[in-house]
Amino acid sequence: MLTRIDHIGIACFDLDKTVEFYRATYGFEVFHTEINEEQGVREAMLKINETSDGGASYLQLLEPTREDSAVGKWLAKNGEGVHHIAFGTADVDGDAQSIRDKGVRVLYDEPRIGSMGSRITFLHPKDCHGVLTELVASATEH
């Protein structure tokens, strides 16, 4: 069962400049940073709030580390902006299968490792009314 909006992913050309905008404009501070070599991104997670199920909601700022990464290609086509929305779940495998059974394409056969040790998978945007959708089980949930 999906429990919260885990994060909203925002693609950007300059991570440091974008982090500074969100810090100066809204007061959001960086909670976590990492480079995900597999996905070809450098990212910053800005915590927005805690949630009633013990999780949190974040903005995930994504800067590509290479042009051929999914985010790099997306930026080249669309420019900066909202890249995806992620819903939190305690059971990414079960929820992905349940959604797959409803005819929505799940992009990974098996969940992968995402930010902060989470387990993730994505749903095809063409099956989700144009929205790239991620399912996330935080490291504390699995």
Side-chain angles (χ1 to χ4, degrees):
M1 175 175 77
L2 305 180
T3 59
R4 69 185 177 283
I5 295 175
D6 184 86
H7 67 270
I8 297 171
I10 300 172
C12 61
F13 291 111
D14 184 327
L15 185 66
D16 297 326
K17 184 186 268 187
T18 307
V19 164
E20 179 54 25
F21 169 81
Y22 281 97
R23 189 203 60 72
T25 306
Y26 306 115
F28 299 152
E29 296 295 337
V30 173
F31 178 79
H32 176 82
T33 61
E34 71 181 77
I35 295 175
N36 185 318
E37 296 292 345
E38 179 184 2
Q39 294 180 19
V41 295
R42 185 169 77 107
E43 66 177 76
M45 296 293 274
L46 287 63
K47 186 185 277 189
I48 307 306
N49 67 324
E50 303 290 331
T51 61
S52 62
D53 66 356
S57 293
Y58 302 91
L59 286 180
Q60 179 187 46
L61 306 179
L62 300 160
E63 175 190 71
T65 58
R66 56 182 198 270
E67 291 179 14
D68 69 339
S69 70
V71 172
K73 291 175 186 177
W74 190 90
L75 269 171
K77 180 179 177 183
N78 300 292
E80 293 184 306
V82 174
H83 179 262
H84 67 275
I85 186 167
F87 294 109
T89 176
D91 182 8
V92 71
D93 299 275
D95 284 337
Q97 186 58 54
S98 176
I99 291 167
R100 181 182 282 120
D101 291 345
K102 294 174 183 166
V104 174
R105 288 174 281 179
V106 177
L107 299 183
Y108 303 152
D109 290 331
E110 294 291 325
R112 296 181 182 179
I113 300 300
S115 301
M116 300 184 289
S118 62
R119 295 183 71 240
I120 65 167
T121 196
F122 285 90
L123 309 178
H124 200 292
K126 288 184 179 178
D127 296 343
C128 298
H129 298 271
V131 178
L132 179 61
T133 304
E134 182 179 6
L135 305 180
V136 179
S138 67
T140 59
E141 292 174 326
H142 63 83

